[in-house]
Amino acid sequence: MRAVVIDQFGEPEVLQMRDLPAPSPAHGEVLVHVHSAGVNPVDYKTRRGLLAERFPHTWPCIIGWDVAGVIEAVGSGVTDLRPGMAVYSYARTAVIGRGCYAEQVALPAAIVAPAPTSLNLTAAGGLALAGLTAWQALGDEGLAAQPGETILIQCGAGGVGAYAVQIAVARGLRVIATAGPHNQEFVRSLGASECIDYTAGPFEETVARLLPDGLRLAFDTVGPDAAQRTADMLAPGGRFVSIAKTLDPAAYPHLAAVKYVFCEPNRGQLAELAALADSGRLRVPLSEVLPLAEAARAHALLETRHTRGKVVLAVR
Ligand SMILES: NC(=O)c1ccc[n+]([C@@H]2O[C@H](COP(=O)([O-])OP(=O)(O)OC[C@H]3O[C@@H](n4cnc5c(N)ncnc54)[C@H](OP(=O)(O)O)[C@@H]3O)[C@@H](O)[C@H]2O)c1
């Protein structure tokens, strides 16, 4: 099978197309014929070696934790998934190296779910990782956001933020998001009531004007500076989650929650996400579909930190 591998950590150029033996599904695994692989910041962080202390790697190392495709074969013990089924997965496994930038990937059936029927498999490849992250950040693992609440989402235009806006709106929240000037209309089209241009001045001033009684709920997807400034402006009793920066809860004794969420694979939640997509309330905002051979270009694009929505690699 064709796969994009790295033999060492480094710049995008270390991503190389290679022919490798196809994996075969072990007990409890399914073999997925990959249609598309989502590209996420964790991919370039892996490529740079930033996950080396947290996860063992195998070499040559195929990266990629986001996939949609069709089941080609199932290993022993798999009873609920069958060859021919369209599936998708947040394909994080214990070891990095047999990932989704490939024509085939073997994955534990426990983290693979039927793909949304309303999406083609190119789009579905950009849903699992970022969508599940937004789902968990807003859900019981994170903010436990409730209908009727108002939430500030730092970065409504990125992969995770674009799903967070839509999921929050579907759950009955009022959404205020941030984005650059070129993404204002896009973020409103996802359902945000207000979008703040973070380049036009301190976002705190606009938030304070929009919420004279104070900000109580915030989701940060941007990182250090935005995370800190957002937590600093929350009213007493407020709840804060970041997926990009760990803040010390002890520094915010007046807040009800200060959490970092690291997305966990979860088949049941993938099914709920698929149902939301099939209900028409969650779309995949694809900005780039590139061939697998252009994985390096996809990384370079993502590393600008200004791609809109999702970038996927079309494999089939
Ligand atoms: N903990 C976890 O489980 C987990 C899971 C997924 C992702 N993450 C992390 O979360 C972060 C976001 O991931 P992602 O996939 O959403 O990234 P992404 O798609 O690459 O984010 C790009 C977006 O960021 C926006 N942006 C950049 N600077 C901004 C700022 N100062 N304020 C507001 N928006 C800004 C850009 O919008 P403009 O062009 O309009 O500026 C762009 O649309 C990454 O660090 C990623 O590693 C963590």
Side-chain angles (χ1 to χ4, degrees):
M1 67 169 184
R2 290 179 319 138
V4 168
V5 305
I6 59 171
D7 295 309
Q8 59 186 345
F9 299 128
E11 295 302 307
E13 297 69 45
V14 299
L15 294 159
Q16 300 288 336
M17 187 72 92
R18 184 92 37 91
D19 265 318
L20 292 175
S24 50
H27 178 78
E29 287 187 342
V30 297
L31 181 68
V32 178
H33 185 124
V34 177
H35 282 233
S36 83
V39 184
N40 293 279
V42 71
D43 299 349
Y44 63 72
K45 293 176 184 179
T46 302
R47 193 205 71 225
R48 291 180 195 164
L50 301 181
L51 277 76
E53 287 186 1
R54 187 159 188 176
F55 292 89
H57 290 46
T58 56
W59 304 90
C61 180
I62 307 171
I63 63 176
W65 278 354
D66 212 2
V67 69
V70 173
I71 294 185
E72 218 174 296
V74 301
S76 56
V78 177
T79 53
D80 49 358
L81 296 171
R82 297 177 307 282
M85 282 176 80
V87 292
Y88 79 135
S89 178
Y90 167 39
R92 195 189 92 201
T93 52
V95 175
I96 292 178
R98 300 295 281 176
C100 305
Y101 287 16
E103 288 178 321
Q104 287 149 311
V105 63
L107 294 171
I111 63 168
V112 174
T117 53
S118 58
L119 296 180
N120 64 50
L121 288 175
T122 305
L127 178 56
L129 189 156
L132 205 55
T133 303
W135 188 273
Q136 293 177 9
L138 295 170
D140 290 342
E141 301 89 332
L143 292 166
Q146 301 301 316
E149 293 190 299
T150 297
I151 186 169
L152 173 66
I153 297 177
Q154 283 289 4
C155 176
V160 177
Y163 290 129
V165 170
Q166 297 180 81
I167 294 168
V169 169
R171 291 185 185 176
L173 283 87
R174 171 189 173 199
V175 174
I176 300 172
T178 59
H182 53 291
N183 278 324
Q184 297 289 305
E185 276 316 303
F186 168 67
V187 173
R188 287 198 184 90
S189 78
L190 299 172
S193 307
E194 285 93 11
C195 190
I196 300 171
D197 177 358
Y198 69 88
T199 68
F203 63 80
E204 291 92 333
E205 289 175 8
T206 315
V207 173
R209 187 166 44 73
L210 291 168
L211 301 175
D213 294 334
L215 174 67
R216 295 208 146 64
L217 199 62
F219 175 33
D220 166 61
T221 75
V222 174
D225 180 58
Q228 184 88 53
R229 286 168 54 193
T230 305
D232 285 350
M233 75 169 300
L234 276 160
R239 283 127 60 210
F240 171 86
V241 160
S242 178
I243 54 162
K245 169 75 184 163
T246 307
L247 297 180
D248 180 6
Y252 299 91
H254 61 294
L255 298 184
V258 175
K259 295 185 191 172
Y260 173 82
V261 166
F262 186 52
C263 184
E264 293 295 330
N266 186 311
R267 181 201 255 193
Q269 290 175 346
L270 282 181
E272 292 183 82
L273 204 57
L276 191 63
D278 288 339
S279 77
R281 291 179 294 162
L282 183 74
R283 68 182 169 95
V284 176
L286 279 185
S287 62
E288 297 277 353
V289 179
L290 297 172
L292 181 61
E294 292 187 28
R297 193 169 139 233
H299 277 217
L301 277 175
L302 231 70
E303 286 178 284
T304 66
R305 300 276 338 263
H306 290 291
T307 50
R308 171 187 291 178
K310 292 303 304 173
V311 174
V312 300
L313 297 170
V315 179
R316 181 168 186 268

